Amino acid sequence: FPVTITHKALIAALKDILAEAESGRLQSLFACGFRSDGLRMSCMFPHTNVYEVVGSIEFLKMQYIDQMTEPL
């Protein structure tokens, strides 16, 4: 049931993010990833509205839980 992502899909998503940043549309970014050796990588380029960021993080958290866990 958990969603799996291929490295090609990850590369495509990162290229889309890069294009948004290069165009000037992407103004901030919060990211967390995991390397093949299990180490975590993260970065933060802050957004000015803390409430929008926290709400977005909580929304992403719920999406992750819904997609990566099986219903009881």
Side-chain angles (χ1 to χ4, degrees):
F1 183 80
V3 177
T4 57
I5 187 167
T6 67
H7 72 283
K8 289 182 181 182
L10 176 59
I11 291 167
L14 291 170
K15 285 180 178 180
D16 289 343
I17 292 169
L18 178 59
E20 289 291 308
E22 288 177 332
S23 73
R25 289 186 298 268
L26 182 62
Q27 298 290 305
S28 61
L29 176 71
F30 295 81
C32 180
F34 294 88
R35 298 179 356 170
S36 60
D37 60 7
L39 294 178
R40 178 184 51 85
M41 294 180 68
S42 58
C43 70
M44 180 174 65
F45 296 91
H47 182 64
T48 56
N49 187 320
V50 67
Y51 302 105
E52 288 179 347
V53 171
V54 171
S56 296
I57 291 169
E58 287 298 316
F59 178 77
L60 182 61
K61 180 176 103 176
M62 291 310 302
Q63 280 188 313
Y64 179 77
I65 290 169
D66 287 345
Q67 290 178 12
M68 299 304 290
T69 60
E70 294 183 31
L72 296 177

